[in-house]
Amino acid sequence: MVQFDWGEMPSRPRIGGVERRVYALVASLPFCGAQTAHFSFDMTLEAFLEGHVRVFDWLGGVPRECVYDNLRTAVAKRDSRQVVRWNPRFLHLRGHYAFHSTACTPQTPREKGSVEGAVRYLKTGFWPARRFQTLSELDRVYGDWRDRVAHRRRHATGQFVVSDRLIEDRAGLRPLPPTSFDFSLCRTVRVPTDGYLRHGACFYRAPIELIHQRVELHASRDQVWVCWRGQEIVRYPRSYRPGLWIPEPKMRPEPPPPPAMLVAADAPHIQAPELAHYAELCA
């Protein structure tokens, strides 16, 4: 069994000159006390689904049951009879990996105590004084801390080493499906005249041959790519700096000024008066 929950990190790092909130989708395994996390700048459905794919890949298998704290990205609605209606895209993920999902009873924190403790441990044991420039760098730093510190500790209750019990937990997982789940955001857009497609606060250029054509714009946490008629055309690293154009647009050079037309003009002919005439004028 794996428990999932979102956690907001207490401080806001400055990325690209802008302070940003960082969220972590934490997955905790109650049997062994192990944990892992997927970091993002938002708590969207795509980040939620991507976190599941990364967690299952890290585990090397699929658990039989996942428990959630009534997250809106998983639970679409819960009526008065406590009937849970799951998010449609989450149902696609659940069907792809074939695991059972359970939503905790509202206002019952004891049902998810393991993941709440994992979130608390992440905020106090890992996050303070961390510095990073990208989320990929944060993933590497966290993975090193998780493997060297968090999973080598001795469990406070069971007095066992977490990494040793994690091996037993992984042995009971079911194998991963042959293909990974497509968690990316996908929307159909028409390529404008300048060729730049907007996603978030940035602009990404499609090939000039696709101007005025309908394409599929895909986006994940780290990448943005364009597909046309089922084929990937171009892929870019995703940027979180507002107003950035990728690649930078090239302005057309100004045409050279026309050559100046020189008109030949005859020099004026001035004839000085005779001295006799000048004397008559002065008389």
Side-chain angles (χ1 to χ4, degrees):
M1 181 178 70
V2 179
Q3 296 181 3
F4 286 89
D5 198 6
W6 281 107
E8 180 181 350
M9 297 299 100
S11 60
R12 300 183 184 182
R14 183 174 292 273
I15 306 297
V18 180
E19 289 187 355
R20 293 190 174 275
R21 294 181 180 179
V22 178
Y23 302 93
L25 180 64
V26 181
S28 174
L29 288 77
F31 174 74
C32 62
Q35 65 164 302
T36 187
H38 169 68
F39 297 94
S40 63
F41 290 139
D42 48 39
M43 295 191 294
T44 59
L45 177 60
E46 287 73 26
F48 179 72
L49 300 177
E50 183 177 359
H52 279 72
V53 175
R54 291 176 179 264
V55 169
F56 295 157
D57 290 343
W58 173 76
L59 287 174
V62 182
R64 299 183 181 275
E65 182 181 8
C66 295
V67 180
Y68 304 90
D69 183 22
N70 294 284
L71 303 175
R72 298 186 64 180
T73 47
V75 179
K77 186 177 180 181
R78 193 166 192 157
D79 57 22
S80 58
R81 296 176 299 174
Q82 300 301 319
V83 178
V84 177
R85 298 182 182 180
W86 300 97
N87 189 297
R89 284 206 68 188
F90 174 73
L91 289 178
H92 295 165
L93 173 77
R94 195 178 69 175
H96 184 86
Y97 288 101
F99 63 88
H100 178 71
S101 58
T102 302
C104 296
T105 305
Q107 301 180 356
T108 310
R110 63 178 178 273
E111 296 183 2
K112 53 182 176 62
S114 176
V115 70
E116 286 192 346
V119 172
R120 198 162 46 245
Y121 183 42
L122 177 68
K123 291 181 179 180
T124 59
F126 166 74
W127 188 256
R130 296 293 175 180
R131 297 292 182 268
F132 60 93
Q133 296 297 325
T134 62
L135 290 177
S136 299
E137 181 182 354
L138 176 59
D139 288 339
R140 293 192 296 269
V141 174
Y142 170 76
D144 182 68
W145 173 85
R146 178 194 59 203
D147 298 335
R148 291 191 306 104
V149 178
H151 290 175
R152 290 187 181 180
R153 76 184 193 281
R154 186 171 295 276
H155 198 273
T157 304
Q159 295 300 315
F160 54 82
V161 179
V162 174
S163 58
D164 296 341
R165 186 71 70 90
L166 178 60
I167 298 176
E168 301 179 25
D169 229 345
R170 282 175 167 164
L173 300 175
R174 294 182 293 105
L176 291 168
T179 59
S180 182
F181 180 76
D182 183 11
F183 51 80
S184 64
L185 171 69
C186 177
R187 57 190 179 94
T188 303
V189 295
R190 185 184 295 274
V191 181
T193 305
D194 59 2
Y196 281 90
L197 304 175
R198 180 171 181 173
H199 178 69
C202 300
F203 299 86
Y204 304 87
R205 183 164 187 174
I208 192 172
E209 296 80 9
L210 297 180
I211 290 178
H212 301 315
Q213 298 290 328
R214 288 194 174 273
V215 299
E216 294 179 352
L217 179 63
H218 295 260
S220 64
R221 190 197 68 174
D222 300 323
Q223 293 181 329
V224 175
W225 64 98
V226 179
C227 295
W228 182 62
R229 295 182 178 179
Q231 296 183 355
E232 181 180 330
I233 304 301
V234 64
R235 182 181 292 260
Y236 299 104
R238 182 172 177 178
S239 174
Y240 291 92
R241 182 178 300 177
L244 190 65
W245 297 68
I246 303 175
E248 294 185 1
K250 295 181 179 180
M251 306 302 293
R252 290 181 297 180
E254 293 291 337
M261 300 297 294
L262 300 179
V263 179
D266 296 335
H269 178 69
I270 302 175
Q271 186 177 1
E274 296 292 338
L275 292 179
H277 298 164
Y278 181 76
E280 293 178 357
L281 291 175
C282 293

